[in-house]
Amino acid sequence: MTELRRATKSLDTVRRAREMLGSYYKRAERRREGAPLAWCMAGVPSEVLQAFDLSCEWPENFGTVCAARGVAAELCERAEGEGYSQDLCSYVRNSIGYVSRLLELGQVPPEAPRGGLGTATMLLGSGALCDPRIKWFQSLSSQYLPLPVFHIDPMSPPHDSHVDDPRIEAHYKEILSETLHEQVAFLERTLGRPMDTERLRAALGNAQETIALLWEIQSLRRAVPCPMGSEDFFTGGVVPLLFMLGERDAVEYFRCLRDEVRDRVARGVGVIPDERFRLLWMGIPPWYNLGFFNSLGELGAVFPAETSYYVGAPVEIDLSDPLEALVDRTWKRAVWITRWGAEVIPENLSPSGFSQPGTRLIRQWVHDYRLDGAVMHRTRSCRAVSWGQIHIKNQLEEEGIPSLIFESDMADPRSWADTIIMGQIQGFLEAIAAGRRERARAS
Amino acid sequence: MALRGLARARALYEGRDQRARELKAEGRKVVGYLCYFAPPEILEAAGLVPYRIRGDVRHPVTRADEYVEPYGCPFVRNTFDLAVTGRYDFLDGLVMSHACDSVQRMYGIWTHYKPLAFSHMVNVPHTVTEASERFYRRELGFFRERVEQLAGRPISDEALHESIACYNRTRELTRELYALRKSDPPRLSGAEMLEVLIAGTGLPAAEFEDLLREVLAEVRARAAAPGVKRARLLFYGCINDDVSLIRLVEECSARVVMDDTCIGARGMAGTVPDGADPMGGFVQYYFRGFQCPRTYRGTDLSRFDYVVEAAREYGAQGVILYILSFCDPHKFDLVEVRRHLEQAGLASLVLEDDYTLANVESMRTRIQAFVEMLS
Ligand code: SF4
Ligand code: SF4
């Protein structure tokens, strides 16, 4: 394995993310001994957590940080030694290895980045998005940390559902509403205080702004040269979108990012000086090697769009009953995704602000973003995100666009084979260039 | 002469889809279904022939790779490859359920590349709450409506009760047959039992009932075999729809006397409560009660008590934990069920397979060592 490196960020705003997103990055300073703290999964709406003023940690995000700091492999191995298969999600294995170390040492392991995770008093999971999410906290709680667990259980309509049928709408909204009310009741019981409805309303209002800003940023990225690549989205967009949606800090941050991207478009400034290949990124990035995107930049490739953590179009909601507004937002977004072809993104209904784009939308992107190809990261330990890539590859072929699928993992760097992967990438880019020459000759 | 009893079961097991094809030739509509979350009772009540979709461990997956990634449930991939290569062309419809990610995601891919005139997905929540039960119940209502459309006629309550009663009888008879394995030696081997059950998954319930009665009579009439002592095992885990592995275990001087797999005892436990509210009965049986690891049932290991109890009841000394690659639900539960069995004094052996039984020889060695340790 050659060097794994962190990304060099292109945008100033992204470089300033840690300072601008203080409420996330400085949370360790705010932890109070003995105060309630939840470990949460992406998919749990962060607006509801804010409405309880509940401190949270996100083991998934911790997995990406451990990956970036080079400790994930060891933690994953430890979990494997305790019986958790290497097939299982590396975020899960990372967290299990971490907890097992924690219990062994009786304190945060010294190798844990950012001082480790705060001491959990409850585990908040979600049945949305993938199976591991419904089993992960079961394992943590039954084998390591006997804490109360609560899972929301939103259900997604299959791709061929009649989402315009009011009965189908009522069906999906009902369980979503009920599961969110159950979550609120659980938090009220556990924390001994009621939810602050005003705060929820404000958070949802902020989330609306965030989603609109991200939508705008994603549209601005169509420009040639591309003003913002996937490396900046992954390093600077994922935390405020997944874990801070609803917070004011996130709105201000994305506004600043939008302004910077807009300014770049106006001035014709791109991520790389000589943009030769515009590529779609599909899949979870290799968090331990985001510098990979810069390596591709050196070869003239830029990523103006990615499918993961896709926000999509903003929808109108009525905030008078905020919990029902959250239900409505979630449903409308699911309908939007389904209309664009959700045959390989069956988990399209998640109360958090992101999902994946539908098949027909991706085909549309070929033209909108002037794509030359797609690079897809097949993550061995995450089926939820990588299943469907071959289908999209087949679909893109019909648009005349080639795709490269390479294999590795999101948080377990043991799967990264640098020479092989870089060789595949180079071959792929050469093939695109050759195809271009061919077409030029023919015309 | 027409085959009867175990010989008929074997023939039906080997000619997996022969009976369904015959029924189709007679003008009946055959609907393939994957997982019990779409109750076959509903299909039968509409006059359709439910056919449980199976894989074929001897069928090499080739074409599926053009449409779906390799890192997913090898069983589901195998069934899809059979569909792509034409083996399921006799189906009039496809019903899948949101059992696990692999099945759920395969539904979209299957219906895109191999569309059928009728396809439907039954959605299933992951947690057991009153809200999720209401959701599943509504899902069953939608399923019923779609089935009625396909059948071109409404499902009467009477037909539903009849269908439920018939399925319940097959479960009861299956349990009677299982009970004949409590003796030492058991009256019927694990491989024979599985052949009968797999044969049943391709038959209308009434025909399965007849088959079970024949087999019961035949096995009851068997002379008690000489009592050679052999290790008695319970077989737990992922779907197992081929008898090779059980046969392999039984070749290693052991006896599979009980199981907890979904074509086996897991799907045959208890009865669908039938009364004024048949849909409520399905919710109880196929959702609240059905012990598939895809459903979250809290963190208390006592949820595996039923496995320990089954092992005790059948005098099993050890447990084989059969796990398919990339099966997330089972791979999470594996650690916990193992620990629980250990605490109950039951040794276990994990056999991982990619649904090709490619590692039979190394499995054999490990099973032999396990059996030796037990005796
Ligand atoms: S979606 Fe994939 S990476 Fe995320 S938790 Fe599920 S299995 Fe892990
Ligand atoms: S074996 Fe596991 S992954 Fe495969 S269908 Fe069954 S539960 Fe799903």
Side-chain angles (χ1 to χ4, degrees), chain A residues 87 131 135 138 153 156 160 167 171 178 347 383 388 391 407, chain B residues 69 71 101 104 107 113 123 126 134 139 293 303 328 331:
Chain A
D87 294 353
D131 288 337
K135 302 298 277 185
Q138 171 194 306
D153 198 4
S156 298
D160 54 2
R167 290 196 314 161
H171 174 54
E178 288 179 317
E347 295 290 309
R383 281 156 286 295
H391 174 62
E407 266 173 40
Chain B
E69 350 295 313
Y71 297 143
D101 285 351
Q104 180 210 24
Y107 178 72
Y113 290 103
N123 224 338
H126 305 83
R134 281 193 289 274
E139 276 294 308
R303 68 185 188 282
D328 289 321
K331 286 198 163 184

PDB file of all heavy atoms in Angstrom, chain A residues 87 131 135 138 153 156 160 167 171 178 347 383 388 391 407, chain B residues 69 71 101 104 107 113 123 126 134 139 293 303 328 331:
ATOM      1  N   ASP A  87     -17.283  -9.000   6.881  1.00  0.00           N
ATOM      2  CA  ASP A  87     -18.316  -8.520   5.948  1.00  0.00           C
ATOM      3  C   ASP A  87     -19.097  -7.352   6.529  1.00  0.00           C
ATOM      4  O   ASP A  87     -19.718  -6.593   5.787  1.00  0.00           O
ATOM      5  CB  ASP A  87     -19.379  -9.602   5.686  1.00  0.00           C
ATOM      6  CG  ASP A  87     -18.849 -10.809   4.963  1.00  0.00           C
ATOM      7  OD1 ASP A  87     -17.684 -10.776   4.540  1.00  0.00           O
ATOM      8  OD2 ASP A  87     -19.605 -11.790   4.843  1.00  0.00           O
ATOM      9  N   ASP A 131     -29.681  -2.561   6.964  1.00  0.00           N
ATOM     10  CA  ASP A 131     -29.844  -3.535   8.051  1.00  0.00           C
ATOM     11  C   ASP A 131     -28.885  -3.315   9.214  1.00  0.00           C
ATOM     12  O   ASP A 131     -29.285  -3.426  10.370  1.00  0.00           O
ATOM     13  CB  ASP A 131     -29.643  -4.966   7.528  1.00  0.00           C
ATOM     14  CG  ASP A 131     -30.798  -5.435   6.652  1.00  0.00           C
ATOM     15  OD1 ASP A 131     -31.906  -4.886   6.789  1.00  0.00           O
ATOM     16  OD2 ASP A 131     -30.588  -6.354   5.843  1.00  0.00           O
ATOM     17  N   LYS A 135     -29.223  -3.469  13.683  1.00  0.00           N
ATOM     18  CA  LYS A 135     -28.592  -4.507  14.494  1.00  0.00           C
ATOM     19  C   LYS A 135     -27.388  -3.984  15.291  1.00  0.00           C
ATOM     20  O   LYS A 135     -26.981  -4.584  16.268  1.00  0.00           O
ATOM     21  CB  LYS A 135     -28.118  -5.657  13.589  1.00  0.00           C
ATOM     22  CG  LYS A 135     -29.197  -6.297  12.762  1.00  0.00           C
ATOM     23  CD  LYS A 135     -30.288  -6.956  13.573  1.00  0.00           C
ATOM     24  CE  LYS A 135     -29.922  -8.353  14.022  1.00  0.00           C
ATOM     25  NZ  LYS A 135     -31.043  -9.033  14.703  1.00  0.00           N
ATOM     26  N   GLN A 138     -28.051  -3.048  18.849  1.00  0.00           N
ATOM     27  CA  GLN A 138     -28.400  -4.286  19.534  1.00  0.00           C
ATOM     28  C   GLN A 138     -27.106  -4.921  20.036  1.00  0.00           C
ATOM     29  O   GLN A 138     -27.011  -5.322  21.207  1.00  0.00           O
ATOM     30  CB  GLN A 138     -29.120  -5.224  18.569  1.00  0.00           C
ATOM     31  CG  GLN A 138     -29.360  -6.636  19.100  1.00  0.00           C
ATOM     32  CD  GLN A 138     -29.756  -7.602  17.984  1.00  0.00           C
ATOM     33  OE1 GLN A 138     -30.691  -7.366  17.231  1.00  0.00           O
ATOM     34  NE2 GLN A 138     -29.030  -8.700  17.867  1.00  0.00           N
ATOM     35  N   ASP A 153     -38.323   3.810  13.135  1.00  0.00           N
ATOM     36  CA  ASP A 153     -38.490   2.781  12.101  1.00  0.00           C
ATOM     37  C   ASP A 153     -39.291   3.326  10.913  1.00  0.00           C
ATOM     38  O   ASP A 153     -40.414   2.887  10.663  1.00  0.00           O
ATOM     39  CB  ASP A 153     -39.187   1.558  12.734  1.00  0.00           C
ATOM     40  CG  ASP A 153     -39.005   0.303  11.900  1.00  0.00           C
ATOM     41  OD1 ASP A 153     -38.281   0.364  10.891  1.00  0.00           O
ATOM     42  OD2 ASP A 153     -39.592  -0.736  12.259  1.00  0.00           O
ATOM     43  N   SER A 156     -39.755   2.896   3.693  1.00  0.00           N
ATOM     44  CA  SER A 156     -39.679   3.540   2.375  1.00  0.00           C
ATOM     45  C   SER A 156     -40.564   2.822   1.368  1.00  0.00           C
ATOM     46  O   SER A 156     -40.595   1.592   1.351  1.00  0.00           O
ATOM     47  CB  SER A 156     -38.241   3.488   1.855  1.00  0.00           C
ATOM     48  OG  SER A 156     -37.398   4.201   2.706  1.00  0.00           O
ATOM     49  N   ASP A 160     -41.833   0.832  -7.219  1.00  0.00           N
ATOM     50  CA  ASP A 160     -43.020   0.764  -8.074  1.00  0.00           C
ATOM     51  C   ASP A 160     -44.303   1.106  -7.327  1.00  0.00           C
ATOM     52  O   ASP A 160     -45.396   0.809  -7.801  1.00  0.00           O
ATOM     53  CB  ASP A 160     -43.122  -0.626  -8.729  1.00  0.00           C
ATOM     54  CG  ASP A 160     -43.071  -1.759  -7.712  1.00  0.00           C
ATOM     55  OD1 ASP A 160     -42.989  -1.471  -6.496  1.00  0.00           O
ATOM     56  OD2 ASP A 160     -43.113  -2.935  -8.128  1.00  0.00           O
ATOM     57  N   ARG A 167     -53.870   6.910  -0.409  1.00  0.00           N
ATOM     58  CA  ARG A 167     -53.823   5.835   0.592  1.00  0.00           C
ATOM     59  C   ARG A 167     -52.379   5.439   0.888  1.00  0.00           C
ATOM     60  O   ARG A 167     -52.012   5.130   2.011  1.00  0.00           O
ATOM     61  CB  ARG A 167     -54.579   4.597   0.081  1.00  0.00           C
ATOM     62  CG  ARG A 167     -56.084   4.779   0.013  1.00  0.00           C
ATOM     63  CD  ARG A 167     -56.774   3.442  -0.109  1.00  0.00           C
ATOM     64  NE  ARG A 167     -56.126   2.603  -1.124  1.00  0.00           N
ATOM     65  CZ  ARG A 167     -56.270   1.281  -1.197  1.00  0.00           C
ATOM     66  NH1 ARG A 167     -57.015   0.646  -0.334  1.00  0.00           N
ATOM     67  NH2 ARG A 167     -55.669   0.600  -2.152  1.00  0.00           N
ATOM     68  N   HIS A 171     -50.438   5.837   4.397  1.00  0.00           N
ATOM     69  CA  HIS A 171     -49.815   4.617   4.943  1.00  0.00           C
ATOM     70  C   HIS A 171     -48.383   4.895   5.418  1.00  0.00           C
ATOM     71  O   HIS A 171     -48.007   4.571   6.539  1.00  0.00           O
ATOM     72  CB  HIS A 171     -49.853   3.588   3.805  1.00  0.00           C
ATOM     73  CG  HIS A 171     -49.151   2.310   4.042  1.00  0.00           C
ATOM     74  ND1 HIS A 171     -49.390   1.508   5.142  1.00  0.00           N
ATOM     75  CD2 HIS A 171     -48.226   1.637   3.284  1.00  0.00           C
ATOM     76  CE1 HIS A 171     -48.642   0.410   5.053  1.00  0.00           C
ATOM     77  NE2 HIS A 171     -47.921   0.476   3.944  1.00  0.00           N
ATOM     78  N   GLU A 178     -45.898   8.090  13.624  1.00  0.00           N
ATOM     79  CA  GLU A 178     -45.976   7.331  14.878  1.00  0.00           C
ATOM     80  C   GLU A 178     -44.595   7.037  15.444  1.00  0.00           C
ATOM     81  O   GLU A 178     -44.366   7.148  16.649  1.00  0.00           O
ATOM     82  CB  GLU A 178     -46.762   6.035  14.660  1.00  0.00           C
ATOM     83  CG  GLU A 178     -48.243   6.320  14.485  1.00  0.00           C
ATOM     84  CD  GLU A 178     -49.077   5.067  14.246  1.00  0.00           C
ATOM     85  OE1 GLU A 178     -48.642   4.191  13.468  1.00  0.00           O
ATOM     86  OE2 GLU A 178     -50.159   4.968  14.820  1.00  0.00           O
ATOM     87  N   GLU A 347     -34.183   2.718  -0.033  1.00  0.00           N
ATOM     88  CA  GLU A 347     -34.344   3.429   1.238  1.00  0.00           C
ATOM     89  C   GLU A 347     -34.408   4.928   0.970  1.00  0.00           C
ATOM     90  O   GLU A 347     -33.491   5.686   1.287  1.00  0.00           O
ATOM     91  CB  GLU A 347     -33.172   3.088   2.171  1.00  0.00           C
ATOM     92  CG  GLU A 347     -33.156   1.637   2.568  1.00  0.00           C
ATOM     93  CD  GLU A 347     -34.299   1.257   3.510  1.00  0.00           C
ATOM     94  OE1 GLU A 347     -34.483   1.942   4.521  1.00  0.00           O
ATOM     95  OE2 GLU A 347     -34.993   0.270   3.225  1.00  0.00           O
ATOM     96  N   ARG A 383     -23.174  -2.888   1.702  1.00  0.00           N
ATOM     97  CA  ARG A 383     -23.994  -3.255   0.551  1.00  0.00           C
ATOM     98  C   ARG A 383     -25.041  -2.192   0.273  1.00  0.00           C
ATOM     99  O   ARG A 383     -25.420  -1.956  -0.859  1.00  0.00           O
ATOM    100  CB  ARG A 383     -24.706  -4.575   0.821  1.00  0.00           C
ATOM    101  CG  ARG A 383     -23.807  -5.743   0.636  1.00  0.00           C
ATOM    102  CD  ARG A 383     -24.244  -6.950   1.398  1.00  0.00           C
ATOM    103  NE  ARG A 383     -24.001  -6.846   2.818  1.00  0.00           N
ATOM    104  CZ  ARG A 383     -22.786  -6.776   3.350  1.00  0.00           C
ATOM    105  NH1 ARG A 383     -21.724  -6.781   2.594  1.00  0.00           N
ATOM    106  NH2 ARG A 383     -22.624  -6.689   4.655  1.00  0.00           N
ATOM    107  N   GLY A 388     -26.367  -1.513  -6.627  1.00  0.00           N
ATOM    108  CA  GLY A 388     -27.029  -0.591  -7.543  1.00  0.00           C
ATOM    109  C   GLY A 388     -26.042   0.086  -8.476  1.00  0.00           C
ATOM    110  O   GLY A 388     -26.424   0.666  -9.479  1.00  0.00           O
ATOM    111  N   HIS A 391     -26.094  -1.359 -11.922  1.00  0.00           N
ATOM    112  CA  HIS A 391     -27.294  -0.906 -12.629  1.00  0.00           C
ATOM    113  C   HIS A 391     -27.089   0.519 -13.174  1.00  0.00           C
ATOM    114  O   HIS A 391     -27.415   0.799 -14.330  1.00  0.00           O
ATOM    115  CB  HIS A 391     -28.488  -0.949 -11.670  1.00  0.00           C
ATOM    116  CG  HIS A 391     -29.742  -0.380 -12.256  1.00  0.00           C
ATOM    117  ND1 HIS A 391     -30.349  -0.917 -13.365  1.00  0.00           N
ATOM    118  CD2 HIS A 391     -30.498   0.687 -11.897  1.00  0.00           C
ATOM    119  CE1 HIS A 391     -31.430  -0.203 -13.658  1.00  0.00           C
ATOM    120  NE2 HIS A 391     -31.544   0.783 -12.785  1.00  0.00           N
ATOM    121  N   GLU A 407     -12.845  -1.509  -6.172  1.00  0.00           N
ATOM    122  CA  GLU A 407     -13.232  -2.069  -4.880  1.00  0.00           C
ATOM    123  C   GLU A 407     -12.328  -1.655  -3.752  1.00  0.00           C
ATOM    124  O   GLU A 407     -11.102  -1.629  -3.902  1.00  0.00           O
ATOM    125  CB  GLU A 407     -13.129  -3.595  -4.968  1.00  0.00           C
ATOM    126  CG  GLU A 407     -14.404  -4.259  -5.325  1.00  0.00           C
ATOM    127  CD  GLU A 407     -14.202  -5.737  -5.561  1.00  0.00           C
ATOM    128  OE1 GLU A 407     -13.423  -6.370  -4.814  1.00  0.00           O
ATOM    129  OE2 GLU A 407     -14.817  -6.241  -6.510  1.00  0.00           O
TER     130      GLU A 407
ATOM    131  N   GLU B  69     -24.198  -6.388  -7.867  1.00  0.00           N
ATOM    132  CA  GLU B  69     -22.856  -6.503  -7.293  1.00  0.00           C
ATOM    133  C   GLU B  69     -22.619  -7.881  -6.630  1.00  0.00           C
ATOM    134  O   GLU B  69     -23.560  -8.533  -6.196  1.00  0.00           O
ATOM    135  CB  GLU B  69     -22.579  -5.422  -6.245  1.00  0.00           C
ATOM    136  CG  GLU B  69     -23.568  -4.304  -6.135  1.00  0.00           C
ATOM    137  CD  GLU B  69     -23.634  -3.430  -7.379  1.00  0.00           C
ATOM    138  OE1 GLU B  69     -22.584  -3.023  -7.903  1.00  0.00           O
ATOM    139  OE2 GLU B  69     -24.746  -3.157  -7.824  1.00  0.00           O
ATOM    140  N   TYR B  71     -21.012  -8.416  -3.786  1.00  0.00           N
ATOM    141  CA  TYR B  71     -20.979  -8.467  -2.322  1.00  0.00           C
ATOM    142  C   TYR B  71     -22.358  -8.343  -1.714  1.00  0.00           C
ATOM    143  O   TYR B  71     -22.696  -7.356  -1.083  1.00  0.00           O
ATOM    144  CB  TYR B  71     -20.085  -7.350  -1.768  1.00  0.00           C
ATOM    145  CG  TYR B  71     -18.654  -7.464  -2.182  1.00  0.00           C
ATOM    146  CD1 TYR B  71     -17.894  -6.339  -2.467  1.00  0.00           C
ATOM    147  CD2 TYR B  71     -18.057  -8.710  -2.287  1.00  0.00           C
ATOM    148  CE1 TYR B  71     -16.570  -6.451  -2.851  1.00  0.00           C
ATOM    149  CE2 TYR B  71     -16.736  -8.832  -2.670  1.00  0.00           C
ATOM    150  CZ  TYR B  71     -16.010  -7.700  -2.955  1.00  0.00           C
ATOM    151  OH  TYR B  71     -14.703  -7.816  -3.334  1.00  0.00           O
ATOM    152  N   ASP B 101     -31.882  -6.210   3.527  1.00  0.00           N
ATOM    153  CA  ASP B 101     -31.419  -5.322   2.456  1.00  0.00           C
ATOM    154  C   ASP B 101     -31.284  -6.070   1.135  1.00  0.00           C
ATOM    155  O   ASP B 101     -31.648  -5.562   0.078  1.00  0.00           O
ATOM    156  CB  ASP B 101     -30.029  -4.757   2.794  1.00  0.00           C
ATOM    157  CG  ASP B 101     -30.086  -3.665   3.852  1.00  0.00           C
ATOM    158  OD1 ASP B 101     -31.204  -3.235   4.194  1.00  0.00           O
ATOM    159  OD2 ASP B 101     -29.011  -3.260   4.338  1.00  0.00           O
ATOM    160  N   GLN B 104     -34.656  -6.802  -0.425  1.00  0.00           N
ATOM    161  CA  GLN B 104     -35.321  -5.555  -0.774  1.00  0.00           C
ATOM    162  C   GLN B 104     -34.675  -4.930  -2.008  1.00  0.00           C
ATOM    163  O   GLN B 104     -35.341  -4.491  -2.936  1.00  0.00           O
ATOM    164  CB  GLN B 104     -35.232  -4.610   0.424  1.00  0.00           C
ATOM    165  CG  GLN B 104     -35.893  -3.270   0.205  1.00  0.00           C
ATOM    166  CD  GLN B 104     -35.205  -2.192   1.006  1.00  0.00           C
ATOM    167  OE1 GLN B 104     -34.026  -2.323   1.354  1.00  0.00           O
ATOM    168  NE2 GLN B 104     -35.915  -1.124   1.307  1.00  0.00           N
ATOM    169  N   TYR B 107     -35.248  -6.735  -5.302  1.00  0.00           N
ATOM    170  CA  TYR B 107     -36.576  -6.542  -5.902  1.00  0.00           C
ATOM    171  C   TYR B 107     -36.515  -5.511  -7.032  1.00  0.00           C
ATOM    172  O   TYR B 107     -37.058  -5.724  -8.118  1.00  0.00           O
ATOM    173  CB  TYR B 107     -37.587  -6.104  -4.833  1.00  0.00           C
ATOM    174  CG  TYR B 107     -38.964  -5.845  -5.399  1.00  0.00           C
ATOM    175  CD1 TYR B 107     -39.774  -6.890  -5.818  1.00  0.00           C
ATOM    176  CD2 TYR B 107     -39.454  -4.546  -5.538  1.00  0.00           C
ATOM    177  CE1 TYR B 107     -41.028  -6.662  -6.353  1.00  0.00           C
ATOM    178  CE2 TYR B 107     -40.716  -4.304  -6.072  1.00  0.00           C
ATOM    179  CZ  TYR B 107     -41.496  -5.364  -6.478  1.00  0.00           C
ATOM    180  OH  TYR B 107     -42.736  -5.136  -7.022  1.00  0.00           O
ATOM    181  N   TYR B 113     -34.777  -5.797 -14.690  1.00  0.00           N
ATOM    182  CA  TYR B 113     -34.142  -6.582 -15.758  1.00  0.00           C
ATOM    183  C   TYR B 113     -34.945  -7.805 -16.176  1.00  0.00           C
ATOM    184  O   TYR B 113     -34.708  -8.367 -17.235  1.00  0.00           O
ATOM    185  CB  TYR B 113     -32.734  -7.008 -15.326  1.00  0.00           C
ATOM    186  CG  TYR B 113     -31.787  -5.824 -15.264  1.00  0.00           C
ATOM    187  CD1 TYR B 113     -31.428  -5.249 -14.053  1.00  0.00           C
ATOM    188  CD2 TYR B 113     -31.272  -5.267 -16.437  1.00  0.00           C
ATOM    189  CE1 TYR B 113     -30.582  -4.152 -14.000  1.00  0.00           C
ATOM    190  CE2 TYR B 113     -30.429  -4.172 -16.394  1.00  0.00           C
ATOM    191  CZ  TYR B 113     -30.086  -3.615 -15.181  1.00  0.00           C
ATOM    192  OH  TYR B 113     -29.256  -2.528 -15.130  1.00  0.00           O
ATOM    193  N   ASN B 123     -43.827  -4.679   2.290  1.00  0.00           N
ATOM    194  CA  ASN B 123     -42.879  -3.946   3.130  1.00  0.00           C
ATOM    195  C   ASN B 123     -43.033  -4.386   4.587  1.00  0.00           C
ATOM    196  O   ASN B 123     -44.148  -4.617   5.042  1.00  0.00           O
ATOM    197  CB  ASN B 123     -43.174  -2.452   2.987  1.00  0.00           C
ATOM    198  CG  ASN B 123     -41.913  -1.648   2.840  1.00  0.00           C
ATOM    199  OD1 ASN B 123     -40.843  -2.101   3.232  1.00  0.00           O
ATOM    200  ND2 ASN B 123     -42.031  -0.450   2.304  1.00  0.00           N
ATOM    201  N   HIS B 126     -38.920  -2.935  10.875  1.00  0.00           N
ATOM    202  CA  HIS B 126     -37.804  -3.634  11.535  1.00  0.00           C
ATOM    203  C   HIS B 126     -38.001  -3.819  13.023  1.00  0.00           C
ATOM    204  O   HIS B 126     -37.255  -4.541  13.664  1.00  0.00           O
ATOM    205  CB  HIS B 126     -36.508  -2.841  11.358  1.00  0.00           C
ATOM    206  CG  HIS B 126     -36.172  -2.543   9.945  1.00  0.00           C
ATOM    207  ND1 HIS B 126     -36.719  -1.477   9.266  1.00  0.00           N
ATOM    208  CD2 HIS B 126     -35.350  -3.166   9.090  1.00  0.00           C
ATOM    209  CE1 HIS B 126     -36.240  -1.471   8.042  1.00  0.00           C
ATOM    210  NE2 HIS B 126     -35.412  -2.477   7.905  1.00  0.00           N
ATOM    211  N   ARG B 134     -49.444  -2.179  12.893  1.00  0.00           N
ATOM    212  CA  ARG B 134     -50.519  -1.580  12.082  1.00  0.00           C
ATOM    213  C   ARG B 134     -50.042  -1.391  10.644  1.00  0.00           C
ATOM    214  O   ARG B 134     -50.778  -1.604   9.695  1.00  0.00           O
ATOM    215  CB  ARG B 134     -50.946  -0.227  12.667  1.00  0.00           C
ATOM    216  CG  ARG B 134     -51.873  -0.345  13.875  1.00  0.00           C
ATOM    217  CD  ARG B 134     -52.514   1.012  14.205  1.00  0.00           C
ATOM    218  NE  ARG B 134     -51.568   1.955  14.752  1.00  0.00           N
ATOM    219  CZ  ARG B 134     -51.246   2.038  16.042  1.00  0.00           C
ATOM    220  NH1 ARG B 134     -51.804   1.231  16.932  1.00  0.00           N
ATOM    221  NH2 ARG B 134     -50.365   2.923  16.462  1.00  0.00           N
ATOM    222  N   GLU B 139     -50.049  -3.243   4.960  1.00  0.00           N
ATOM    223  CA  GLU B 139     -49.315  -3.846   3.844  1.00  0.00           C
ATOM    224  C   GLU B 139     -50.015  -5.113   3.368  1.00  0.00           C
ATOM    225  O   GLU B 139     -50.128  -5.356   2.172  1.00  0.00           O
ATOM    226  CB  GLU B 139     -47.881  -4.208   4.275  1.00  0.00           C
ATOM    227  CG  GLU B 139     -46.898  -3.071   4.207  1.00  0.00           C
ATOM    228  CD  GLU B 139     -46.653  -2.608   2.780  1.00  0.00           C
ATOM    229  OE1 GLU B 139     -46.347  -3.453   1.922  1.00  0.00           O
ATOM    230  OE2 GLU B 139     -46.769  -1.395   2.520  1.00  0.00           O
ATOM    231  N   PRO B 293     -33.835 -13.019  12.226  1.00  0.00           N
ATOM    232  CA  PRO B 293     -32.940 -11.999  12.801  1.00  0.00           C
ATOM    233  C   PRO B 293     -33.038 -10.643  12.121  1.00  0.00           C
ATOM    234  O   PRO B 293     -32.471  -9.672  12.620  1.00  0.00           O
ATOM    235  CB  PRO B 293     -31.541 -12.582  12.605  1.00  0.00           C
ATOM    236  CG  PRO B 293     -31.691 -13.871  11.930  1.00  0.00           C
ATOM    237  CD  PRO B 293     -33.120 -14.164  11.676  1.00  0.00           C
ATOM    238  N   ARG B 303     -34.068 -13.709  24.127  1.00  0.00           N
ATOM    239  CA  ARG B 303     -34.823 -13.920  22.892  1.00  0.00           C
ATOM    240  C   ARG B 303     -34.344 -15.169  22.151  1.00  0.00           C
ATOM    241  O   ARG B 303     -35.012 -15.648  21.254  1.00  0.00           O
ATOM    242  CB  ARG B 303     -34.761 -12.688  21.986  1.00  0.00           C
ATOM    243  CG  ARG B 303     -33.432 -12.375  21.387  1.00  0.00           C
ATOM    244  CD  ARG B 303     -33.517 -11.047  20.627  1.00  0.00           C
ATOM    245  NE  ARG B 303     -32.315 -10.785  19.862  1.00  0.00           N
ATOM    246  CZ  ARG B 303     -31.183 -10.349  20.377  1.00  0.00           C
ATOM    247  NH1 ARG B 303     -31.084 -10.116  21.674  1.00  0.00           N
ATOM    248  NH2 ARG B 303     -30.128 -10.133  19.616  1.00  0.00           N
ATOM    249  N   ASP B 328     -25.991  -9.806   6.720  1.00  0.00           N
ATOM    250  CA  ASP B 328     -25.844  -8.933   7.892  1.00  0.00           C
ATOM    251  C   ASP B 328     -26.704  -9.351   9.080  1.00  0.00           C
ATOM    252  O   ASP B 328     -26.200  -9.451  10.194  1.00  0.00           O
ATOM    253  CB  ASP B 328     -26.156  -7.478   7.514  1.00  0.00           C
ATOM    254  CG  ASP B 328     -25.074  -6.860   6.642  1.00  0.00           C
ATOM    255  OD1 ASP B 328     -23.884  -7.141   6.893  1.00  0.00           O
ATOM    256  OD2 ASP B 328     -25.403  -6.104   5.718  1.00  0.00           O
ATOM    257  N   LYS B 331     -25.266 -12.310  10.752  1.00  0.00           N
ATOM    258  CA  LYS B 331     -23.899 -12.126  11.238  1.00  0.00           C
ATOM    259  C   LYS B 331     -23.839 -11.289  12.508  1.00  0.00           C
ATOM    260  O   LYS B 331     -22.932 -11.433  13.308  1.00  0.00           O
ATOM    261  CB  LYS B 331     -23.018 -11.540  10.136  1.00  0.00           C
ATOM    262  CG  LYS B 331     -22.715 -12.601   9.099  1.00  0.00           C
ATOM    263  CD  LYS B 331     -21.555 -12.251   8.239  1.00  0.00           C
ATOM    264  CE  LYS B 331     -21.082 -13.532   7.546  1.00  0.00           C
ATOM    265  NZ  LYS B 331     -19.888 -13.316   6.757  1.00  0.00           N
TER     266      LYS B 331
END
